[in-house]
Amino acid sequence: MSPRNIIFRIYPSSKQRQQLFGWLALHRELYNAALQERRDAYKSNGVSLSYNHQQNELPAVKEARPELVPLGSHALQETVRRVDRAYQAFFRRIKAGEVPGYHRFKGRDRFESFTYPDPNGWKVVEQKEGKGRLRITNLGTIPMRGKPRVRLADGESRTLTIRAKADKWYAVIGVRYPETALQRNCAYSDRAVGIDVGCKALVASSDGDLIDNPRHLARAQEKLCQVQVELSRKKKDSRRRFKLKAKVVRLHATVANRRKDFLHQLSAAMVQLYPLIAVENLKLKNMTRSARGTVEAPGKNVKQKAGLNRSMLDAGIGLLFQMLAYKAEEAGGRYVEVVPNGTTQKCFWCGKTVSKDLSVRWHQCPHCGFSVDRDYNAALNILFLGLTKAGWEPSKAWRRASLAVNRETTSMLPLAA
């Protein structure tokens, strides 16, 4: 069984919206109270409270605060468990030598969801043709919309998360599917591709295809800047400031949805075409780190690096890799990560290093005369390394044949060899 999260848009009535906002505020209050209790216990007595200790206190809390009762015992326990998971992650990072920030209390803008950890308290009814209804105990029935690739009925629904985002409400249903239900079809059985990712061309494939970076954030930047300038001029905690802040959130949500939709379509198309996909094992967290340095050792080209970081994050490279990985698994294919060192500088044809900086967009080998786009050369090197890692040793003849392969012709790569 494989877990998947299916997102549906829900449409609560005005009365239900008011009730949901009230429930969200109560869950946030409980979260902050559990965090405060842990802080006080350690500060006063040096005692570290466990999840079981705080969970056992919930019946007494509900007696003192009867407005918590309609939220459901299991949902309240899950909110307390979120505090426990935050502490576990904090100590895990310390043990790994990292420097994590300590847990913060959640303000209204930083707490947007609550979860039912099991099927008790909710049920999906009348789900068909992209429409359905969600029934939640003590709240009623809510219309919902969404058309997942695999039906809910084909799996076992386990969890429900109600989320408020950009003035809209969503239901995130965790489902366990059998492997057969998630299976995807691949149009070919003997094709492979290496892909080089970047900010100019989002994807350069070893088949010679260049897929432009849509630059979703850059396209919305002018409108965002206008709204943010207006926001900066409004009085703090005023109604006008609140409305403009909600508008900024909606604009960012639109950008994120467009990016996610584009990457879903791109990754699904690639998985359908190629049973083997080779990518670079990039350390994206390090690549997008700020260059400003410290007071003692200030960084250089900070503004330029910030712009590059913004472009890389806007491209969604990490999200694309995640989608390719799980979709390739569902299609019965292979997703291979290779070491990125030298893939851009190395000549695909002769294997010698040809040094070039980012401004040089064309690979011209002085040793063998091989001349192609630098991203295409990198994609060919990635494919070569991916095939080698998959257990097949490409030959010199394969190098010559690979340059003639494109999407209209089926590659004759003996992947099973």
Side-chain angles (χ1 to χ4, degrees):
M1 302 288 282
S2 297
R4 290 291 184 272
N5 286 335
I6 311 298
I7 302 176
F8 294 91
R9 172 85 184 274
I10 59 175
Y11 300 87
S13 64
S14 58
K15 184 178 179 180
Q16 288 172 330
R17 284 171 60 90
Q18 185 177 1
Q19 190 171 348
L20 284 171
F21 276 122
W23 285 9
L24 201 58
L26 289 172
H27 276 286
R28 179 171 63 88
E29 186 180 345
L30 177 63
Y31 180 96
N32 289 336
L35 179 58
Q36 183 68 57
E37 185 184 32
R38 288 198 178 214
R39 284 187 171 190
D40 292 346
Y42 188 80
K43 186 176 180 180
S44 303
N45 305 313
V47 176
S48 296
L49 299 182
S50 66
Y51 162 74
N52 288 334
H53 174 87
Q54 293 190 305
Q55 181 251 324
N56 290 336
E57 291 180 332
L58 284 176
V61 173
K62 286 190 290 184
E63 285 186 12
R65 298 287 302 276
E67 61 269 28
L68 292 173
V69 174
L71 278 63
S73 299
H74 293 188
L76 295 174
Q77 290 169 10
E78 182 63 20
T79 297
V80 174
R81 191 177 284 112
R82 284 174 66 173
V83 179
D84 185 64
R85 284 197 294 263
Y87 269 87
Q88 290 179 11
F90 175 78
F91 291 118
R92 184 175 63 249
R93 293 189 183 100
I94 290 179
K95 190 175 181 180
E98 301 177 18
V99 187
Y102 196 70
H103 327 293
R104 296 192 299 178
F105 293 106
K106 301 292 185 181
R108 183 177 60 181
D109 297 335
R110 293 184 174 273
F111 197 92
E112 60 179 19
S113 66
F114 61 89
T115 299
Y116 293 87
D118 52 52
N120 293 327
W122 63 277
K123 183 180 181 181
V124 175
V125 294
E126 303 175 13
Q127 207 268 327
K128 60 181 180 179
E129 297 180 359
K131 296 181 180 180
R133 300 178 73 81
L134 177 65
R135 185 179 299 149
I136 300 178
T137 303
N138 298 322
L139 183 68
T141 303
I142 308 174
M144 71 178 192
R145 187 182 67 183
K147 194 173 182 180
R149 185 177 69 87
V150 184
R151 298 182 309 162
L152 289 178
D154 294 337
E156 180 185 3
S157 298
R158 299 297 302 167
T159 64
L160 170 68
T161 298
I162 301 298
R163 177 173 297 157
K165 189 174 183 181
D167 204 28
K168 297 177 182 177
W169 289 90
Y170 298 89
V172 184
I173 300 178
V175 188
R176 293 179 182 175
Y177 286 109
E179 300 295 339
T180 53
L182 294 172
Q183 188 172 357
R184 294 173 181 265
N185 295 323
C186 187
Y188 303 96
S189 60
D190 55 357
R191 300 189 72 177
V193 69
I195 62 172
D196 179 66
V197 294
C199 296
K200 184 178 181 181
L202 176 60
V203 170
S205 80
S206 57
D207 279 358
D209 298 314
L210 292 177
I211 300 172
D212 289 335
N213 182 0
R215 302 183 186 276
H216 300 287
L217 179 61
R219 286 160 54 190
Q221 196 69 43
E222 184 177 352
K223 185 67 175 292
L224 273 168
C225 287
Q226 291 176 358
V227 179
Q228 286 170 329
V229 167
E230 293 180 36
L231 177 66
S232 66
R233 295 170 177 168
K234 301 305 177 186
K235 185 178 179 181
K236 188 176 181 180
D237 295 330
S238 67
R239 182 169 180 80
R240 288 184 178 181
R241 181 179 175 84
F242 178 77
K243 290 174 69 175
L244 279 173
K245 190 172 183 179
K247 189 174 182 179
V248 172
V249 171
R250 287 196 299 271
L251 285 170
H252 277 293
T254 299
V255 170
N257 289 338
R258 287 173 178 171
R259 181 188 299 115
K260 194 172 182 180
D261 180 65
F262 175 79
L263 295 178
H264 267 303
Q265 293 186 48
L266 175 60
S267 57
M270 295 189 71
V271 166
Q272 188 177 17
L273 283 171
Y274 304 104
L276 187 146
I277 300 174
V279 303
E280 295 173 295
N281 184 13
L282 300 175
K283 305 299 182 184
L284 293 170
K285 187 175 181 179
N286 295 337
M287 292 173 65
T288 55
R289 186 172 294 165
S290 173
R292 62 175 173 264
T294 62
V295 176
E296 296 78 12
K300 298 179 180 179
N301 300 322
V302 178
K303 189 174 181 180
Q304 293 88 333
K305 183 61 167 64
L308 178 61
N309 291 349
R310 189 183 304 112
S311 296
M312 292 181 64
L313 295 171
D314 184 23
I317 295 170
L319 183 57
L320 174 62
F321 285 173
Q322 291 177 16
M323 292 179 178
L324 286 172
Y326 81 78
K327 288 177 183 177
E329 180 183 356
E330 292 174 354
R334 295 195 63 177
Y335 172 82
V336 181
E337 293 183 339
V338 303
V339 178
N341 298 348
T343 53
T344 301
Q345 309 295 339
K346 186 178 179 181
C347 177
F348 169 71
W349 186 251
C350 67
K352 294 183 179 179
T353 300
V354 182
S355 299
K356 44 189 174 292
D357 57 33
L358 282 173
S359 62
V360 180
R361 305 309 304 172
W362 194 262
H363 171 80
Q364 180 69 51
C365 182
H367 307 287
C368 66
F370 186 57
S371 179
V372 291
D373 181 270
R374 67 175 281 157
D375 294 335
Y376 177 42
N377 175 72
L380 289 168
N381 283 324
I382 293 168
L383 174 60
F384 183 90
L385 294 172
L387 290 171
T388 303
K389 190 173 181 179
W392 182 64
E393 295 293 339
S395 64
K396 190 74 174 180
W398 172 83
R399 291 179 186 269
R400 188 178 298 107
S402 64
L403 296 178
V405 174
N406 54 49
R407 279 195 177 182
E408 284 70 41
T409 61
T410 303
S411 169
M412 300 304 294
L413 302 178
L415 300 183

